[in-house]
Amino acid sequence: MTITGVKGFNDILPADVGKWHHIEGVARRVFELYGFSEIRVPVLEKTELFTRSIGDDTDIVEKEMYSFTDKGDNRVTMRPEGTAGVIRAFIEHKLHRTDPVAKLYYMGPMFRYERPQKGRYRQFHQIGAELSGVTSPMVDAQILTMLCHYFAELGLTEPTLQINSLGCSECRPPYRQKLKDFLQVRLHSLCEDCRRRYENNPLRVLDCKATGCREATVAAPSVLDNLCHGCADHFAETKCYLRDVGTRYEINSRMVRGLDYYTRTTFELVTSLLGSQSAVAAGGRYDRLIEQLGGPQLPGIGFAMGVERIVLLLSEQDFRKRPDLFFVYLGESAQKKSFTLMSELLQMGVSVEIDYEGKSLKSQMRRADKSRARYTLVIGENELNKGMVVLKDMDNGVQLDMVLDSHNISRIVRCNPYQPT
Ligand code: HAM
């Protein structure tokens, strides 16, 4: 019997990996443009880090974490998200002492024991960014603008930015009570999960997709009508900055994030193209988290994008690597010459493919086609004698006579193999 992979844990095959490089490369370029530096933190953390940050009553902590006791009797968890680990490292290495405003980004695998379906996996990848040390709503607007800038660079303009404010420790408790009072007389209409959420996490009822819960909460009090002055001003200014820089958004006052650390601004980038897994990126402000995890009293804000979901959105584009050049040869001398030229060109950074087995001309041409090489060169006795060769541009069929020399060939065929076609 063959051994297969673990359910919900996927391989990323060579045919897809170009897309991943592109997604990661554009993130590095755009985030670094905005002053973010990369941080790499471990996959494994102490379980307590996640229970204290994400919250005991969340689905992630209650049901989805890959936690175990290691051989040294320590409770550890494979990270279900990136923020907690990044903030842990920020505090542990006292990064705020170097610069109170830290801008960090990260990418890598996360783990949640969810029911796998299209766009939802047990091992999935996030690219995220976290900014700490700034309370100004200018930074909320900039983070959101950077996120939209990133998607625009990928050529994805369909996802819509939805924003909300969840208030702070001053205005959220009275709102929570108001919502509970509203829900109490409607408990019978709520799904089983929401009846449980009513006690510990009533705001999550607003986010439930069940029809009964949706209908029962149509007239629920809105969090945005119950913000304190400070939070209302912060939200109004964030919107104002967004409008000033032309970043489009919608208000979604029912958006409640599945992690407990959020305060004030929260947001999601949603698409209609991925069925029920509609969020391609999400995040928000967490002004108490750094302090809660034992660090200084500093605010923070950030987001994470689901890479598999972006890959799905880009699925119409072809990111497979293209060789620059394919050598087709006829006869033994031409084979030898092709092999030498190939080595010289590879040293010059030109990616070259060849049919190593010396099959028929027809079969070599077929391979050249299949490789999607940008150019082909056919070398036979004639070409060897004259020292001239015909270079064919496979994209437009244009043919060019040229001297059979690697420097000459290299000048013409250099192109970027990761460009989508
Ligand atoms: P999250 O909403 O739990 O937030 O996840 C962020 C994104 O990760 C989602 O919008 C989705 O695209 C992707 N994602 C989540 N779960 C899965 C899954 N099972 N399979 C595939 N993709 C998934 C966070 O994780 C926060 N740490 C975001 C944040 C950063 N907030 C502040 N800073």
Side-chain angles (χ1 to χ4, degrees):
M1 255 238 298
T2 52
I3 301 172
T4 56
V6 176
K7 184 174 172 190
F9 287 63
N10 300 319
D11 301 307
I12 302 157
L13 299 176
D16 280 329
V17 101
K19 215 177 280 175
W20 285 72
H21 287 167
H22 184 65
I23 291 168
E24 291 160 359
V26 174
R28 287 181 198 286
R29 181 160 55 74
V30 173
F31 294 0
E32 284 174 20
L33 179 71
Y34 283 78
F36 284 74
S37 307
E38 186 176 358
I39 183 166
R40 299 185 186 193
V41 293
V43 164
L44 205 66
E45 298 275 1
K46 292 179 181 160
T47 301
E48 193 194 349
L49 175 67
F50 301 114
T51 50
R52 256 168 65 183
S53 54
I54 299 172
D56 281 324
D57 298 319
T58 57
D59 284 355
I60 298 179
V61 169
E62 266 185 0
K63 307 189 253 190
E64 296 169 0
M65 292 208 304
Y66 280 87
S67 300
F68 58 95
T69 307
D70 72 8
K71 291 196 166 56
D73 231 11
N74 307 299
R75 280 300 283 166
V76 288
T77 296
M78 286 162 75
R79 61 181 184 192
E81 57 109 46
T83 311
V86 169
I87 299 303
R88 195 260 317 131
F90 171 83
I91 298 168
E92 196 170 330
H93 302 285
K94 300 188 173 55
L95 296 188
H96 57 281
R97 290 203 182 154
T98 335
D99 186 347
V101 181
K103 295 180 177 181
L104 304 168
Y105 76 88
Y106 53 92
M107 44 185 80
M110 310 289 158
F111 306 86
R112 294 184 194 175
Y113 192 83
E114 294 193 80
R115 202 162 40 78
Q117 56 174 250
K118 183 180 171 191
R120 187 168 73 193
Y121 312 101
R122 289 179 177 170
Q123 175 178 299
F124 61 99
H125 295 74
Q126 284 186 344
I127 300 178
E130 313 291 348
L131 189 155
S132 60
V134 186
T135 314
S136 166
M138 195 190 285
V139 115
D140 302 44
Q142 191 165 56
I143 283 271
L144 290 169
T145 302
M146 178 173 90
L147 181 61
C148 295
H149 185 163
Y150 172 74
F151 276 83
E153 287 283 313
L154 285 181
L156 296 171
T157 47
E158 189 269 346
T160 310
L161 176 63
Q162 297 190 343
I163 62 172
N164 193 18
S165 174
L166 291 180
C168 64
S169 53
E170 193 187 314
C171 53
R172 201 181 315 162
Y175 170 68
R176 192 173 178 273
Q177 191 50 52
K178 205 167 177 178
L179 183 64
K180 274 186 99 167
D181 295 344
F182 173 87
L183 293 173
Q184 195 181 25
V185 290
R186 295 165 175 85
L187 274 177
H188 58 277
S189 316
L190 303 183
C191 71
E192 210 182 305
D193 274 347
C194 284
R195 264 178 265 155
R196 203 166 29 83
R197 285 175 187 142
Y198 166 80
E199 277 306 329
N200 300 325
N201 215 342
L203 269 73
R204 291 243 53 191
V205 176
L206 296 176
D207 215 20
C208 183
K209 305 281 181 291
T211 322
C213 301
R214 292 247 128 202
E215 283 170 6
T217 55
V218 171
S222 159
V223 64
L224 292 178
D225 296 334
N226 289 276
L227 297 176
C228 62
H229 285 308
C231 290
D233 286 351
H234 187 96
F235 195 54
E237 286 176 46
T238 300
K239 290 187 290 184
C240 206
Y241 281 120
L242 285 173
R243 281 195 297 271
D244 285 349
V245 295
T247 301
R248 292 152 68 119
Y249 62 86
E250 286 174 2
I251 307 281
N252 178 0
S253 62
R254 296 176 71 99
M255 181 208 304
V256 183
R257 308 275 301 116
L259 305 94
D260 279 354
Y261 49 62
Y262 292 112
T263 49
R264 295 192 164 173
T265 315
T266 51
F267 51 89
E268 286 186 355
L269 207 58
V270 297
T271 172
S272 55
L273 304 175
L274 297 179
S276 58
Q277 304 313 309
S278 57
V280 279
R285 199 167 251 290
Y286 44 82
D287 289 346
R288 306 293 305 278
L289 179 64
I290 300 176
E291 198 186 347
Q292 262 167 28
L293 290 177
Q297 212 179 4
L298 286 173
I301 180 168
F303 64 80
M305 317 185 281
V307 181
E308 283 79 359
R309 295 185 189 176
I310 301 175
V311 168
L312 287 168
L313 288 180
L314 287 176
S315 62
E316 296 312 312
Q317 294 181 50
D318 192 347
F319 283 85
R320 277 174 302 159
K321 193 173 177 298
R322 295 180 77 183
D324 299 325
L325 180 62
F326 199 103
F327 274 119
V328 174
Y329 53 85
L330 294 162
E332 207 174 309
S333 330
Q335 179 177 22
K336 287 214 166 89
K337 179 72 182 172
S338 301
F339 186 66
T340 322
L341 281 173
M342 180 181 180
S343 303
E344 287 171 9
L345 285 162
L346 284 167
Q347 295 289 333
M348 293 174 196
V350 178
S351 77
V352 187
E353 282 292 341
I354 197 168
D355 186 330
Y356 297 96
E357 313 278 18
K359 299 223 182 81
S360 69
L361 179 67
K362 204 167 146 199
S363 142
Q364 288 187 54
M365 291 306 287
R366 227 183 292 126
R367 249 186 97 82
D369 251 2
K370 203 165 162 212
S371 79
R372 303 161 59 257
R374 174 73 199 274
Y375 298 95
T376 50
L377 258 181
V378 183
I379 309 180
E381 288 298 321
N382 215 3
E383 283 75 17
L384 285 179
N385 292 338
K386 285 202 221 146
M388 292 293 289
V389 74
V390 178
L391 182 80
K392 183 170 176 187
D393 184 329
M394 301 300 278
D395 285 352
N396 54 23
V398 172
Q399 303 203 10
L400 193 71
D401 284 315
M402 60 194 308
V403 176
L404 187 53
D405 164 79
S406 51
H407 290 280
N408 205 26
I409 299 170
S410 150
R411 255 204 317 277
I412 309 224
V413 304
R414 273 172 187 279
C415 67
N416 180 356
Y418 286 107
Q419 283 302 312
T421 49

